[in-house]
């Protein structure tokens, strides 16, 4: 194992842990099928990114993206 593979493995584990923690800390969406039609849209729903839930969702998306990119990089490095 080279040094770059070790670094990529450590970064991948960190990204996975961040993704796990952010998914577990998010509250569940109890809107059900109403969310598909936009029935649950309210004025406060438009500013969702400013809330803690919005930040957790963004952190989940970013860590998932980093995880996928690292997995692809590891595929070509190894």
């Amino acid at each position: 194992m080279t040094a770059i593979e070790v670094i990529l493995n450590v970064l991948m584990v960190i990204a996975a842990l961040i993704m796990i923690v952010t998914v577990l800390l998010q509250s569940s969406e109890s809107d059900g099928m109403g969310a598909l039609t936009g029935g649950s849209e309210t004025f406060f729903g438009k500013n969702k990114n400013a809330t803690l839930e919005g930040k957790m969702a963004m952190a989940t998306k970013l860590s998932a993206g980093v995880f996928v990119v690292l997995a692809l990089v590891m595929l070509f490095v190894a």
Side-chain angles (χ1 to χ4, degrees):
M1 218 184 220
T2 63
I4 192 77
E5 290 175 344
V6 172
I7 292 170
L8 289 174
N9 280 330
V10 169
L11 291 175
M12 195 166 191
V13 167
I14 291 171
L17 289 174
I18 291 171
M19 189 168 34
I20 290 168
V21 169
T22 55
V23 166
L24 289 175
L25 289 176
Q26 289 181 24
S27 63
S28 64
E29 299 282 333
S30 61
D31 293 336
M33 294 296 285
L36 293 175
T37 61
S40 63
E41 187 70 30
T42 63
F43 174 74
F44 297 110
K46 296 187 186 304
N47 295 327
K48 189 174 182 181
N49 287 337
T51 65
L52 181 61
E53 291 178 15
K55 291 177 183 175
M56 294 294 260
M58 182 60 70
T60 303
K61 291 173 188 173
L62 286 174
S63 63
V66 168
F67 184 84
V68 169
V69 169
L70 286 173
L72 291 173
V73 168
M74 287 179 65
L75 179 69
F76 294 113
V77 169

